[in-house]
Amino acid sequence: MTAQEKTIATFEARVRQLLLRFQELKKENEELYAMLEKNEQDVKDLQARLQQQERDYQSLKMARMLEITDGDLDGAKARLTRLIRDVNKCIAVLSDEK
């Protein structure tokens, strides 16, 4: 082999190596883009889930506030009923004295 043939053979080998490396990098790039797309979809799903959880939390908080208000209302009604009974007893006692 002459020097030119050796140079051409070396050049061809390096070009083949570059082509193989290019194919490897191209495949890796496609895999990374697929992973990136999957991760972006996961982020969107998690954001949607977070928003739903926040809406559920707000609804639960509102229901809890209404529940407490209803409980306070029932307690107030019970206290008022007891006071009315006490007043009626006092009126009855006063009526008996006359």
Side-chain angles (χ1 to χ4, degrees):
M1 248 200 239
T2 66
Q4 280 185 335
E5 290 174 341
K6 285 183 182 180
T7 304
I8 290 174
T10 304
F11 179 73
E12 287 176 350
R14 295 218 173 150
V15 168
R16 273 190 285 238
Q17 287 175 346
L18 284 173
L19 287 173
L20 287 173
R21 183 69 179 142
F22 172 75
Q23 293 299 327
E24 290 172 1
L25 289 174
K26 187 176 175 182
K27 182 179 178 185
E28 182 182 356
N29 193 29
E30 289 172 357
E31 291 171 356
L32 289 173
Y33 271 111
M35 283 175 48
L36 179 62
E37 188 174 317
K38 181 188 176 296
N39 288 340
E40 287 175 349
Q41 185 60 43
D42 288 346
V43 167
K44 286 179 184 177
D45 292 344
L46 289 172
Q47 285 175 338
R49 185 174 171 202
L50 176 63
Q51 289 175 351
Q52 182 61 42
Q53 293 291 333
E54 286 174 348
R55 284 191 298 270
D56 291 347
Y57 173 72
Q58 291 300 326
S59 296
L60 183 61
K61 193 164 77 170
M62 183 65 70
R64 183 71 177 148
M65 287 182 351
L66 290 174
E67 181 181 305
I68 289 171
T69 302
D70 289 344
D72 289 346
L73 185 61
D74 291 340
K77 283 181 182 179
R79 284 192 305 268
L80 187 58
T81 303
R82 280 193 308 267
L83 287 173
I84 290 172
R85 268 189 266 130
D86 289 343
V87 169
N88 285 339
K89 286 179 186 177
C90 290
I91 292 173
V93 169
L94 290 173
S95 294
D96 288 339
E97 288 180 4
K98 288 184 180 184

